[in-house]
Amino acid sequence: MKVLHVSALDMGGAATAAIRLHKGLLKAGIDSAFLTLRNCNRNIPNKYIYEPRPEEISLLKVLKKTLRVRLGMESPHSFYDAQDLAIKGEPTGAGFSFPETLEDITLHPAYKSAHLIHLHWVAGWLDYPSFFAKNTKPVVWTLHDLNPFSGGLHYALGTSITEMQMGHLIDNPQDRLQQAHNRNLTVKQQSLQDFRSLAVVSPSVWLQKQSAESLLFSRYENHHIPNGLDTELFKPYDRSVVRGLLGLADKKTLLFIADAIDSPLKGFRFFRDALLHVQNMCDYQLLVVGLDKSNALAGFNNVHHMGYVQDERLMAMIYNAADAFVLPSLMDNFPNTMLESIACGTPVIAFPTGGIPEAIRHGENGLICEKADAANLGSLLEAFYRGQWQFDREHIAEQAAKTYEDRTITTAYRKVYHAVMATV
C-alpha cells in the first residue's frame, strides 16, 4: 500500500498532525509520501512540492475572454477576484474557502503513483469538481476544522452563520455570506454525488458528530481517531533543570501558545484579562510561544517571549518548564498543543471548546472553565495558585502516552485504510 498525504501547509497545527501520522506510517513500514504547497518545514521525509502548471495564453483565449466580458457573460475580474467579490464586506471569522480552484492534484506524479489519497487541510487548493471527477483512488479525509463539509467557513465564530448551519443549506439566505455558503455547498454536493470510496476521520468526537450529521459527509463512514505524538520526545523532564536551560526563574509559570498571539480564536485577550485575578496574589511569570506582530505582549513585565518555535525538542522543554498550559481557545478541534502538554505531565487550563473537554478531565489532568470568559478563567487561575488542585505529573504523562502514542494512532489509521481500499 502506497499512501499519499495531501496538505496545503507544511507548518501549523493541521500540518503537524499530518506529518506525525506520515512519519508514524514510515516507521511502521508503510510506503508514505507527503505532497504540499509549501516548503517551510524541511524535516519531512518523502516530501513533494506541488507546482501548478502555468496556463497557456493564446490570442484566441484573450479574444474570447474580451467578448464574454463585453456581452456580460463573464466577470472582468480574475477567477479568485470573483470569489472574493462574492463575500465582499461580510465578516468571515477564521476564514472562508471556496470549493473551486485552478489546481489539479491528479496531475502530480506523487498522486499517480499512490494507491490511497489521504487528504488533510486542503482549503484553497483542492478543486472539488475536477478532483472527485478524475480521482479513481480511495480517499481518507482527516478533518482539522469544519470547512471540508461546510459552505466555505472554517468556523462560525463572528459570522452570520451558526455552527449548526455550517454543514447544511440555509433556508432563505439573508446576506452574501449565506448565499455563497449555499452555492458552495451545492457545488460540493454535486462533486461528491457519484464518489463512494471515501472515509472521513475526525480527531475529536465533537467534530465527528458534526461531520456525520452534515449534508456532505453523512453517507460516508465517519471515524474518530485522535491526533498522536511521539511520547519518547514529549515526556516529563526535570523542571528545575529545564527552567535553568531556558533562563527562567524558579517560580510559578504559566504557558500560552499560538501561531499568532493576537489571533481572535486563541483567546489571548481573555487570558490577559484573567491574569488580573492573580497578579497581586503571587509572584508568577508568563512563558509565551508564537508571533506577536501586533505587540499584544506590551505591558507585561514578567513575560518570557520565545517567538515562533518549530523545534519539537525545545517545545518539550517549554511545556516542562510550565506549571500549567493555559488554552483559552474560542474555537478549536483537538489541538496538538493540548496533547503535547499533558504528554509532558503539564496540566491544561482551558475553555470548554470543541474537542478539548474530551482530553482534559477536570481535576485530573487539567481544569475546564464552566464558560468561555475571563471571569471564569481568572477564578480557576486563582484557585490553581492557591493549591486547590494537586496534579500528579507522572500520572498525567502516563495516561496521555497510553492514549495518544503515535504507534496507537498509526494502527487505527491502517485499519481505516484497509477498509476504504476494500470499497474500490
Side-chain angles (χ1 to χ4, degrees), residues 40-343:
C40 298
N41 187 345
R42 304 184 188 280
N43 188 29
I44 306 175
N46 292 4
K47 174 181 175 178
Y48 298 90
I49 307 299
Y50 175 86
E51 296 179 357
R53 297 190 308 175
E55 184 181 7
E56 295 180 4
I57 300 176
S58 65
L59 179 60
L60 180 59
K61 282 187 176 181
V62 172
L63 291 174
K64 282 184 176 179
K65 171 78 173 181
T66 302
L67 179 61
R68 290 178 65 84
V69 168
R70 288 183 176 178
L71 292 176
M73 300 170 63
E74 187 174 328
S75 167
H77 303 279
S78 72
F79 180 79
Y80 294 110
D81 285 344
Q83 290 183 343
D84 291 339
L85 283 172
I87 55 172
K88 186 177 181 180
E90 297 289 346
T92 55
F96 191 96
S97 302
F98 285 80
E100 298 128 314
T101 74
L102 298 177
E103 312 304 338
D104 188 350
I105 294 170
T106 66
L107 298 176
H108 196 278
Y111 167 86
K112 294 178 180 180
S113 65
H115 300 135
L116 181 145
I117 307 303
H118 192 146
L119 301 177
H120 293 272
W121 200 93
V122 290
W125 181 17
L126 183 77
D127 180 66
Y128 280 68
S130 66
F131 177 78
F132 288 106
K134 294 181 178 182
N135 176 54
T136 59
K137 305 172 191 287
V139 174
V140 172
W141 200 333
T142 295
L143 309 182
H144 299 281
D145 57 30
L146 289 76
N147 176 261
F149 58 82
S150 84
L153 290 172
H154 292 257
Y155 292 102
L157 185 70
T159 74
S160 65
I161 297 175
T162 67
E163 188 174 288
M164 292 184 64
Q165 291 175 318
M166 284 186 65
H168 304 275
L169 294 171
I170 298 173
D171 294 332
N172 302 314
Q174 300 298 308
D175 56 36
R176 295 168 67 145
L177 184 68
Q178 294 183 1
Q179 292 166 4
H181 166 94
N182 278 6
R183 181 260 177 202
N184 291 345
L185 197 51
T186 300
V187 169
K188 290 182 177 182
Q189 185 181 27
Q190 292 172 345
S191 300
L192 280 160
Q193 64 183 356
D194 296 323
F195 194 78
R196 297 288 179 267
S197 299
L198 171 65
V200 182
V201 178
S202 298
S204 66
V205 175
W206 166 78
L207 187 55
Q208 180 194 24
K209 182 176 185 296
Q210 298 203 54
S211 173
E213 294 176 351
S214 70
L215 177 67
L216 204 65
F217 289 161
S218 58
R219 65 191 182 95
Y220 299 109
E221 288 290 329
N222 277 268
H223 304 269
H224 167 234
I225 303 176
N227 296 335
L229 75 169
D230 183 355
T231 53
E232 290 300 313
L233 175 61
F234 291 97
K235 61 182 181 180
Y237 302 145
D238 187 296
R239 178 168 291 164
S240 61
V241 171
V242 169
R243 286 180 176 172
L245 290 172
L246 295 177
L248 299 172
D250 190 18
K251 60 182 179 181
K252 291 289 187 180
T253 305
L254 289 176
L255 172 64
F256 178 86
I257 302 172
D259 285 345
I261 295 170
D262 62 349
S263 168
L265 290 180
K266 298 303 180 181
F268 180 78
R269 65 185 181 91
F270 293 95
F271 181 35
R272 179 196 60 213
D273 293 344
L275 288 172
L276 296 175
H277 288 257
V278 298
Q279 65 179 1
N280 296 322
M281 64 171 289
C282 67
D283 185 19
Y284 70 91
Q285 60 191 344
L286 301 182
L287 186 54
V288 180
V289 176
L291 298 177
D292 186 17
K293 294 182 179 180
S294 65
N295 205 22
L297 297 175
F300 287 103
N301 297 320
N302 53 349
V303 62
H304 296 262
H305 183 206
M306 303 294 294
Y308 190 90
V309 178
Q310 187 175 345
D311 184 83
E312 291 194 329
R313 292 191 178 278
L314 176 56
M315 280 305 308
M317 293 172 60
I318 289 171
Y319 286 112
N320 274 278
D323 290 283
F325 167 44
V326 182
L327 183 60
S329 293
L330 299 178
M331 284 287 174
D332 229 326
N333 171 20
F334 202 73
N336 296 308
T337 52
M338 169 182 70
L339 303 184
E340 292 163 0
S341 184
I342 58 176

